Amino acid sequence: NIRNCGDAVAQAAASCRFKTGAELVCDELRNGGDSLKEAVDKLKLAVEECMVEERTVYLAPLVESTVNPMESSSIALEAAGASIQQRRPIADVGEELYKCACSLEQLAMAIQQFDVD
């Protein structure tokens, strides 16, 4: 789902080249947000599954640490698309994209904790 989100954002960026691409950009950003929301649901399920088996219980807090940043990035990316659709000021769109980027950075740091070198 994270990859699907990346594809949607890349498509939105490519569509920015066209003056008529605003609606497509909105849709792609919002689809990216939806992909991340689906990933949140899968992460929550993964936490539950980790708790079932004794050998994977230690993974639950690690997986759980990815849920909030993933959810925040989902909300912010969807809000960026909605801001464009609502013709809000470009600063509002930029703020939502910045929030998404910060959340994705937190997600990356949480994922690094999985490395057990």
Side-chain angles (χ1 to χ4, degrees):
N1 285 343
I2 294 173
R3 183 169 172 232
N4 290 344
C5 173
D7 291 345
V9 171
Q11 181 61 46
S15 299
C16 285
R17 297 178 301 166
F18 306 106
K19 291 180 181 178
T20 59
E23 185 175 322
L24 182 58
V25 171
C26 297
D27 288 345
E28 291 296 344
L29 290 176
R30 296 182 94 175
N31 285 341
D34 287 343
S35 292
L36 292 177
K37 184 173 180 347
E38 289 174 18
V40 168
D41 295 339
K42 289 182 180 183
L43 286 171
K44 289 178 179 177
L45 180 61
V47 171
E48 291 175 19
E49 290 175 356
C50 286
M51 298 300 288
V52 172
E53 290 195 41
E54 194 173 310
R55 64 185 177 88
T56 58
V57 168
Y58 75 97
L59 289 173
L62 293 173
V63 175
E64 193 168 27
S65 71
T66 65
V67 173
N68 285 339
M70 182 79 75
E71 191 165 33
S72 297
S73 61
S74 166
I75 291 167
L77 193 57
E78 199 282 330
S83 294
I84 295 169
Q85 191 172 36
Q86 296 165 358
R87 300 189 188 279
R88 291 178 43 207
I90 194 71
D92 292 352
V93 177
E95 183 178 335
E96 294 301 337
L97 290 173
Y98 180 75
K99 287 179 190 176
C100 179
C102 290
S103 294
L104 289 173
E105 181 179 29
Q106 291 173 349
L107 176 63
M109 288 187 287
I111 290 171
Q112 285 179 336
Q113 295 177 31
F114 285 78
D115 186 14
V116 291
D117 269 352

